[in-house]
Amino acid sequence: MSKNRILFSGAGCFLLLCLGWLVWSFLVSVSSNNISAITACAQEFTGQSERINCWYRLIEKEIIKDGVPAGMHAFTYIYDNYPDFVSTGCHVHAHKVGDMVYYGVYLADPRLEALEYPDSLTACGYGFFHGFLEHLIQDHPTTKFVTETCEWMSERLEERMPAIRTICYHGSGHGFTLAQVEKVPQAQWGDLIAFTKDPLEKCDALSVPREIEREECREGVFNVLINWAEGGEYGFSFNRDNPLVICDAFEKKWRHACYYEFSQKLDHIARRDVMELWRVANKIKDRDEASVVFRVAMAGAVQQTIADGTYIGLTKKCLLAGPQVENMCIESIVNGLFEHGSPRKEHDKALAFCMEEWLNDAQRTQCYTAVATRLLRFHTREDADDDCRDFPKEYQSMCLRARP
């Protein structure tokens, strides 16, 4: 068995009274998630990994006891109050919650309709669904099951979770790959084709109306591969001098997905140096691919520096790196801030960035446009309309127009 299976008021009330009631209501909802226990994890454990594991146990306890919404209340509270939870990988932590729900809830009653799907599951780049789906598809690695599952999720959740369809196919790529691991003998560890050919062919064979779903599936395959390379698992590792060279071993139809996923790890290799990221990206001869790699790598660097605020210095360097780089910076920065933003408030830090006084007028307009177009990845159209009211007045009408 693969180690990947291991669990990982009234109308006349005074304003103050109303405000007090709202605060009390919030605390009641969070108190069910054991605020004192969450605080105890931070106080009793000095090691970061110990604190995080303690929080994991509390989130899992809430899920088992009171359901998925209760677990996500705890997750959100920890995110909003403990920066080290954010800095160690918001997407990774949401992914872990998906693991918990699959093994702790779903397997006890294996019906998708029996689960609860609070809006907060879109948090941290839909990390929950990446974790949940990779195990679901690992246990049912057929194109028919994937199509049925993703269509079911799309029909029932897309109105509240606009990106759920593509996320589902991406998570399926994870699952196809984890299922393949169980078939590869140790003598073939490190063999790219042995681990990826079958999953990629399954992605290609999906019966879907749009190519983007197949591409998301392929990206899911390579997402697993990069995590193995980063952790030195199954015989894989990074070529630190040219980390993207691994993608050249694949057919052209699969290469873009490889570049896209591997570029997410470049911030570590380039030590978050903007010009080093650009240098690595430029080793790719295809200019369009090089642009994509830089944008994704920059977004990844921003994601990893949200908690300590150092992304501000990183973004300043990006905007001073010359016209070729500058034109790609704003959208990448906004995307990075969104993907690791606070659950249900993903746009807050992106809007704060757009207000930075050192942005010029053109950059500021580009920034607000990027935020507006990103809203519908995480929020419903109705919520996105409300989000536009958070923009400065002079940009609100632009926000409403810019959304696709």
Side-chain angles (χ1 to χ4, degrees):
M1 178 176 287
S2 168
K3 66 180 178 180
N4 292 289
R5 289 184 183 272
I6 299 174
L7 174 63
F8 312 121
S9 349
C13 75
F14 295 102
L15 177 61
L16 185 59
L17 181 60
C18 294
L19 180 60
W21 183 85
L22 289 171
V23 171
W24 177 84
S25 297
F26 173 75
L27 289 175
V28 167
S29 68
V30 176
S31 66
S32 67
N33 298 296
N34 302 317
I35 291 178
S36 60
I38 291 171
T39 304
C41 288
Q43 294 174 341
E44 293 176 12
F45 295 103
T46 57
Q48 191 176 69
S49 62
E50 293 175 317
R51 285 197 300 274
I52 290 170
N53 285 333
C54 182
W55 287 326
Y56 279 162
R57 290 192 294 272
L58 290 174
I59 293 169
E60 184 175 21
K61 180 180 177 182
E62 290 300 304
I63 289 169
I64 301 301
K65 180 167 66 77
D66 292 321
V68 178
M72 288 307 296
H73 271 305
F75 181 95
T76 302
Y77 182 85
I78 296 166
Y79 180 103
D80 287 339
N81 290 278
Y82 297 97
D84 56 343
F85 190 71
V86 184
S87 65
T88 49
C90 174
H91 181 84
V92 171
H93 301 324
H95 195 292
K96 186 74 171 179
V97 177
D99 299 343
M100 295 172 186
V101 171
Y102 184 76
Y103 287 109
V105 180
Y106 175 81
L107 288 182
D109 184 0
R111 296 176 299 133
L112 290 174
E113 61 270 23
L115 287 177
E116 297 173 279
Y117 300 92
D119 292 350
S120 54
L121 293 184
T122 63
C124 307
Y126 288 73
F128 167 88
F129 288 101
H130 287 220
F132 179 83
L133 286 162
E134 74 174 17
H135 299 302
L136 178 64
I137 305 307
Q138 179 183 9
D139 286 342
H140 306 86
T142 68
T143 56
K144 182 177 183 293
F145 185 85
V146 166
T147 301
E148 291 174 350
T149 299
C150 293
E151 292 304 313
W152 186 94
M153 287 193 165
S154 179
E155 289 172 8
R156 287 159 179 80
L157 302 178
E158 196 166 36
E159 185 175 340
R160 293 188 294 115
M161 304 175 184
I164 189 62
R165 184 183 181 87
T166 53
I167 291 295
C168 182
Y169 285 104
H170 180 94
S172 298
H174 288 213
F176 284 152
T177 310
L178 295 184
Q180 179 64 12
V181 169
E182 300 175 356
K183 303 175 186 177
V184 180
Q186 189 168 352
Q188 288 185 280
W189 284 13
D191 184 331
L192 289 170
I193 303 304
F195 279 89
T196 61
K197 187 174 186 291
D198 182 74
L200 288 168
E201 288 179 343
K202 285 181 176 175
C203 292
D204 290 349
L206 286 169
S207 176
V208 290
R210 299 184 301 167
E211 177 61 20
I212 189 173
E213 276 97 32
R214 296 187 190 90
E215 185 65 10
E216 283 285 348
C217 181
R218 296 176 195 120
E219 289 174 9
V221 172
F222 286 109
N223 184 271
V224 175
L225 185 62
I226 62 168
N227 287 328
W228 291 339
E230 187 176 43
E233 297 180 83
Y234 298 111
F236 296 106
S237 62
F238 279 119
N239 178 330
R240 300 192 70 84
D241 292 328
N242 189 3
L244 298 171
V245 71
I246 194 171
C247 298
D248 296 337
F250 293 95
E251 297 179 39
K252 186 176 182 180
K253 64 178 179 178
W254 295 335
R255 208 171 295 152
H256 173 79
C258 182
Y259 283 140
Y260 186 94
E261 290 297 324
F262 267 74
S263 59
Q264 295 185 46
K265 300 296 183 181
L266 292 185
D267 62 304
H268 296 299
I269 293 171
R271 297 179 297 280
R272 294 172 189 152
D273 182 311
V274 173
M275 294 313 297
E276 180 63 12
L277 289 177
W278 182 236
R279 185 191 70 79
V280 174
N282 268 291
K283 289 191 173 184
I284 301 173
K285 294 179 181 179
D286 186 308
R287 293 294 81 202
D288 291 336
E289 292 285 14
S291 173
V292 168
V293 164
F294 177 79
R295 291 170 189 269
V296 175
M298 188 65 197
V302 169
Q303 289 176 29
Q304 300 306 320
T305 54
I306 285 179
D308 61 10
T310 56
Y311 71 89
I312 293 295
L314 185 70
T315 55
K316 283 184 177 180
K317 291 178 182 177
C318 194
L319 292 172
L320 293 171
Q324 278 186 301
V325 174
E326 178 185 339
N327 291 336
M328 296 185 284
C329 282
I330 296 289
E331 183 180 348
S332 301
I333 293 163
V334 167
N335 289 349
L337 292 172
F338 257 91
E339 293 301 315
H340 275 209
S342 179
R344 307 306 300 157
K345 296 178 288 184
E346 288 86 0
H347 64 304
D348 285 3
K349 283 189 171 66
L351 282 180
F353 167 65
C354 294
M355 295 175 189
E356 291 286 347
E357 60 182 13
W358 42 269
L359 293 176
N360 62 39
D361 290 344
Q363 291 167 342
R364 198 178 313 282
T365 298
Q366 184 186 3
C367 186
Y368 283 122
T369 301
V371 175
T373 57
R374 198 72 175 170
L375 288 173
L376 288 178
R377 171 171 165 79
F378 293 92
H379 301 163
T380 65
R381 188 164 292 277
E382 182 179 358
D383 288 341
D385 288 345
D386 289 338
D387 295 337
C388 285
R389 298 189 182 99
D390 294 336
F391 284 57
K393 287 185 178 180
E394 62 269 33
Y395 291 98
Q396 288 180 7
S397 59
M398 179 277 292
C399 175
L400 291 168
R401 292 194 308 271
R403 292 176 301 120

